């Protein structure tokens, strides 16, 4: 079923690029569709598809029912591509990732974890939005609550 959906979405690629009008690619004299447009058409994509659009050869790290995750090693830095079979799994994953904070590149049923300076260039290749999870779930640091916690002192690590 997923393979049929992917093949069907690839068949729509010429329609999407034909309807895109004057794009930056045309301004540069290149008639090929942008990779962001391709990512939007095939999304939600497989880890391998997103990795290919970003220009890396991915190594699958996790292959579970709830998510697939691959690692990309590049000269600019390493990053993780995670895909989800349903949007609800992505939302749960983002909620869990919020405890670590940071910024993530997020698309339909996928997320990319990378250094913040890499997210912009990756976004140009695959689309998506950059989400700052620290802003969504800001919590006081444990050290600031140690002496003033209304629940008593933090447990000793010794």
């Amino acid at each position: 079923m997923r393979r049929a959906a992917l093949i069907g979405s690839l068949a729509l690629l010429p329609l999407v690029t034909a309807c895109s009008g004057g794009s930056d690619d045309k301004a540069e004299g290149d008639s090929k569709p942008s990779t962001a447009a391709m990512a939007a058409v095939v999304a939600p994509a497989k880890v391998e598809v997103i990795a290919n659009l970003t220009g890396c050869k991915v190594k699958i790290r996790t292959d579970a029912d709830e998510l697939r995750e691959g690692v990309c090693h590049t000269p600019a830095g390493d990053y993780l591509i995670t895909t989800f079979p349903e949007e609800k799994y992505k939302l749960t994953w983002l909620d869990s990732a919020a405890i670590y904070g940071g910024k993530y590149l997020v698309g339909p049923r996928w997320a990319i974890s990378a250094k913040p300076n890499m997210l912009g260039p990756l976004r140009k290749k695959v689309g998506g939005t950059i989400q700052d999870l620290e802003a969504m779930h800001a919590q006081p640091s444990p050290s600031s609550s140690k002496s003033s916690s209304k629940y008593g002192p933090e447990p000793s690590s010794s």
Side-chain angles (χ1 to χ4, degrees):
M1 177 104 169
R2 288 179 82 183
R3 175 175 261 160
L6 180 60
I7 291 170
S9 63
L10 288 174
L12 295 175
L13 183 59
L15 295 174
V16 171
T17 57
C19 297
S20 65
S23 68
D24 292 339
D25 290 339
K26 292 205 184 247
E28 296 171 10
D30 184 3
S31 63
K32 289 191 264 183
S34 73
T35 54
M38 287 190 295
V41 172
V42 298
K46 293 175 62 173
V47 171
E48 294 84 356
V49 172
I50 296 171
N52 188 45
L53 292 172
T54 65
C56 93
K57 183 169 173 59
V58 71
K59 179 179 179 184
I60 299 299
R61 178 168 105 165
T62 305
D63 193 352
D65 291 339
E66 300 83 14
L67 63 87
R68 289 186 78 231
E69 185 176 66
V71 180
C72 285
H73 299 288
T74 69
D78 298 339
Y79 53 96
L80 298 174
I81 300 170
T82 308
T83 60
F84 308 89
E86 295 181 40
E87 190 70 9
K88 68 180 182 179
Y89 294 118
K90 179 187 83 177
L91 296 175
T92 300
W93 183 88
L94 286 170
D95 192 45
S96 297
I99 64 171
Y100 302 106
K103 295 181 181 184
Y104 298 84
L105 180 59
V106 180
R109 294 180 12 196
W110 59 264
I112 296 178
S113 309
K115 293 178 184 176
N117 64 329
M118 294 179 66
L119 296 177
L122 288 169
R123 183 175 183 220
K124 289 178 183 176
K125 294 178 179 183
V126 298
T129 58
I130 296 173
Q131 292 188 11
D132 186 347
L133 299 185
E134 290 174 328
M136 293 171 57
H137 298 283
Q139 296 179 349
S141 68
S143 62
S144 66
S145 65
K146 208 172 221 185
S147 61
S148 62
S149 172
K150 68 179 184 178
Y151 299 107
E154 295 288 324
S156 171
S157 61
S158 54

